[in-house]
Amino acid sequence: MKDFRIWGLKKSPWVFHVAAASCNNCDIEILAALTPRFDVERFGIVLVGSPRHADALLVTGVINRKTLPRVIQVYQQTPKPCLVIGVGTCSCSKHMFEDSYNVVGPYDKHIPVDVYIPGCPPKPEAIILGVVKALQKL
Amino acid sequence: MKVIFWILVFPGFLFSSIIGMLLTWVDRKVTARIHWRVGPPWFQPFADFFKLLSKETLIPVNASRFLFLMAPILSIIAITAVGTMLFTMNFYPNMSFLGDLIVLIYLLTLPPLATILGASASKNPLAAVGASREMTLYFGYELPFITAIIITIIKTGGTIRIGDIVTYQHIHGPILYSVSGIIATLVALICMQAKLGYVPFDIAEAEQELMAGVYTEYSGFALALFKLSKAMMLFLLPCFLITIFWGGFVTWWAILKLLLLVVLIILIKNTNPRLRVDQALKFFWVGLMPLAVLGVILAFFKL
Ligand code: SF4
């Protein structure tokens, strides 16, 4: 039974896109990964409009005092088990905002992150690889 | 014992849900081919379903708990009843009872009603907008849909038993092969598109405006049941149309007819933009309703 559940989760990860103060470039790359050219529906990946339907959260951008409560709220609204995937160098570290007073550090200080995808912005291929790596962790 | 088998396994729940899920795969695959993509593998709808079952079901704090969880169950029960009745009456016309056509029409209106109830119970503003749109749309398509069915009733000499309609078509040829029959089928086909909530009438769950519309707050088990009842609708509504207008399920040709109708729905879905809700209402009442009335008049003159 447990294998069956994991099979279901692996074969149909629905992603929800959390744009937490990114420069929008990572978001555009995520959208590019969803175009017919890469055809992620082959692996069952679908972009959903509500965190309640999501299995994986794609978080972009550098986390700061304003967006932190929102990101935590979205994470709490997502039914578990769910994966969190940080997209872009911003989400991995503080990137170029190292010395900013407003930045509260990388994501895993606040919510559990499964995979980080570095790159500024990462290529669509890298994003797909990251999602696959996250699924392998299950 | 036999009745329980009918309801739970053969024409009822299990059979229609499996065929329905396979048809949703056909839908996604054809859509993918139109986009020049490869598309998902055949077991994709099953994977989606089992995944949703294994996830947590969250209930919003302010929601009305009972109604929120009842709505998907209501939807699935209604659509199971439709499947059972429709097929037993096709296979055994004698089992049909007086007025079962009307019962079926009522049961078919229950799934949209259940989504409206569930969305309103969830107390989410986006779901509330979706529910109000679904309600408006519902008033739009129900009138032409019933008028189209009245054409069949007139042509078969005023019978409201499905068994009699199937037998009549077996002897005199399908309703579709006449002028009023073509009009009736066309009107019912477009209304079916709206009943299924497909583009151009996917106003209630318009993804770009309302996130997931009426389903915004649903997750896990409840969402799985809603998805399943939608899949069963995709199977049973074309079956209903074939029963009423196109000869019923007496020969194996019916399977081809079913596939043809489903592919037609998918093609309409993929080649049209979404209408605004007022445009949709206007389309149904000003555009489709006179056509249906014309069909009724023609049916009176036996055309
Ligand atoms: S990683 Fe680069 S592209 Fe992505 S949000 Fe940060 S600055 Fe923008």
Side-chain angles (χ1 to χ4, degrees), chain B residues 13 43 57 73 89 99 101 117 119 122 128 137 146 154 165 210-211 260 278:
Chain B
F13 180 68
F43 53 77
T57 307
I73 298 174
M89 272 143 210
L101 181 59
L117 277 180
S122 70
L137 193 65
I146 291 173
I154 293 170
I165 292 174
L210 294 182
M211 294 162 75
L260 193 76
D278 60 319

Side-chain angles (χ1 to χ4, degrees), chain A residues 14-43:
Chain A
W14 290 357
V15 298
F16 179 72
H17 178 186
V18 190
S22 75
C23 75
N24 253 333
N25 222 334
C26 280
D27 305 333
I28 290 170
E29 291 304 316
I30 287 175
L31 294 184
L34 295 164
T35 49
R37 183 176 174 91
F38 297 98
D39 187 20
V40 287
E41 208 187 354
R42 278 178 301 165
F43 315 118

Side-chain angles (χ1 to χ4, degrees), chain A residues 29-83:
Chain A
E29 291 304 316
I30 287 175
L31 294 184
L34 295 164
T35 49
R37 183 176 174 91
F38 297 98
D39 187 20
V40 287
E41 208 187 354
R42 278 178 301 165
F43 315 118
I45 303 175
V46 180
L47 185 74
V48 289
S50 159
R52 296 265 193 235
H53 304 182
D55 307 304
L57 299 175
L58 296 177
V59 223
T60 60
V62 61
I63 198 156
N64 56 42
R65 287 182 209 284
K66 272 282 190 223
T67 53
L68 178 65
R70 273 83 182 174
V71 170
I72 290 177
Q73 198 177 9
V74 170
Y75 178 72
Q76 283 166 347
Q77 280 176 347
T78 314
K80 309 291 168 313
C82 88
L83 299 165

Side-chain angles (χ1 to χ4, degrees), chain A residues 4-5 7-9 11-12 14 36 39 41-42 44 46-47 49-55 77-81, chain B residues 28 35 37-41 43-44 47-48 50-52 54-56 58 207 211-212 215-219 223:
Chain A
F4 212 52
R5 286 176 165 185
W7 174 80
L9 208 57
K11 289 296 173 191
S12 96
W14 290 357
D39 187 20
E41 208 187 354
R42 278 178 301 165
V46 180
L47 185 74
S50 159
R52 296 265 193 235
H53 304 182
D55 307 304
Q77 280 176 347
T78 314
K80 309 291 168 313
Chain B
R28 288 171 74 168
H35 294 171
R37 297 189 274 129
V38 180
F43 53 77
Q44 191 59 54
D48 288 354
F50 289 121
K51 178 206 69 184
L52 285 176
S54 70
K55 291 203 69 157
E56 208 181 356
L58 297 172
E207 206 186 325
M211 294 162 75
Y215 303 125
T216 306
E217 286 289 349
Y218 275 99
S219 60
L223 183 66

Side-chain angles (χ1 to χ4, degrees), chain B residues 20 26 31 61 68 83 95 99 129 137 158 170 173 184 191 193 195 200 204 207 219 232 245 252 271 275 281 293:
Chain B
V26 171
T31 308
V61 191
F68 186 75
M95 296 225 2
V129 176
L137 193 65
H170 198 46
C191 294
Q193 192 89 10
K195 250 187 191 322
E207 206 186 325
S219 60
M232 286 161 82
F245 301 115
W252 290 104
T271 47
L275 293 175
L281 196 64
V293 171

Side-chain angles (χ1 to χ4, degrees), chain B residues 193-214:
Chain B
Q193 192 89 10
K195 250 187 191 322
L196 287 170
Y198 277 0
V199 191
F201 307 111
D202 67 332
I203 307 167
E205 45 179 318
E207 206 186 325
Q208 294 84 350
E209 306 157 17
L210 294 182
M211 294 162 75
V214 278

Side-chain angles (χ1 to χ4, degrees), chain B residues 10-272:
Chain B
F10 174 51
F13 180 68
L14 206 63
F15 173 72
S16 12
S17 55
I18 289 178
I19 303 282
M21 288 219 242
L22 286 177
L23 284 179
T24 47
W25 170 73
V26 171
D27 169 17
R28 288 171 74 168
K29 187 80 180 175
V30 172
T31 308
R33 293 310 298 163
I34 292 171
H35 294 171
W36 218 248
R37 297 189 274 129
V38 180
W42 66 269
F43 53 77
Q44 191 59 54
F46 299 97
D48 288 354
F49 181 71
F50 289 121
K51 178 206 69 184
L52 285 176
L53 281 189
S54 70
K55 291 203 69 157
E56 208 181 356
T57 307
L58 297 172
I59 301 168
V61 191
N62 293 326
S64 146
R65 225 183 141 84
F66 176 71
L67 212 55
F68 186 75
L69 292 178
M70 234 6 235
I73 298 174
L74 177 71
S75 168
I76 208 103
I77 289 175
I79 202 75
T80 306
V82 170
T84 319
M85 278 175 68
L86 198 62
F87 282 101
T88 41
M89 272 143 210
N90 262 301
F91 298 147
Y92 312 102
N94 297 332
M95 296 225 2
S96 191
F97 56 88
L98 190 67
D100 53 3
L101 181 59
I102 294 171
V103 174
L104 269 191
I105 294 172
Y106 269 104
L107 284 176
L108 279 176
T109 59
L110 273 183
L113 210 63
T115 38
I116 295 172
L117 277 180
S120 323
S122 70
K123 282 238 177 106
N124 180 304
L126 293 165
V129 176
S132 85
R133 289 181 178 195
E134 174 98 41
M135 190 105 78
T136 318
L137 193 65
Y138 174 78
F139 284 121
Y141 65 69
E142 209 58 29
L143 191 61
F145 188 65
I146 291 173
T147 318
I149 293 170
I150 286 177
I151 294 176
T152 295
I153 298 176
I154 293 170
K155 286 188 80 81
T156 50
T159 173
I160 45 174
R161 291 178 47 176
I162 291 195
D164 286 353
I165 292 174
V166 172
T167 337
Y168 174 91
Q169 295 188 73
H170 198 46
I171 300 166
H172 301 270
I175 307 279
L176 177 66
Y177 304 153
S178 62
V179 182
S180 57
I182 292 174
I183 292 175
T185 316
L186 192 72
V187 170
L189 194 72
I190 296 171
C191 294
M192 185 170 76
Q193 192 89 10
K195 250 187 191 322
L196 287 170
Y198 277 0
V199 191
F201 307 111
D202 67 332
I203 307 167
E205 45 179 318
E207 206 186 325
Q208 294 84 350
E209 306 157 17
L210 294 182
M211 294 162 75
V214 278
Y215 303 125
T216 306
E217 286 289 349
Y218 275 99
S219 60
F221 184 69
L223 183 66
L225 286 191
F226 264 135
K227 293 263 171 206
L228 186 66
S229 71
K230 268 207 124 167
M232 286 161 82
M233 288 269 270
L234 178 62
F235 169 50
L236 290 171
L237 273 176
C239 287
F240 181 69
L241 246 64
I242 291 171
T243 310
I244 301 291
F245 301 115
W246 207 355
F249 284 79
V250 277
T251 54
W252 290 104
W253 285 111
I255 296 172
L256 266 186
K257 290 175 189 171
L258 175 68
L259 277 181
L260 193 76
L261 276 188
V262 170
V263 171
L264 198 65
I265 295 170
I266 299 165
L267 287 183
I268 297 176
K269 175 187 162 189
N270 276 303
T271 47
N272 281 287

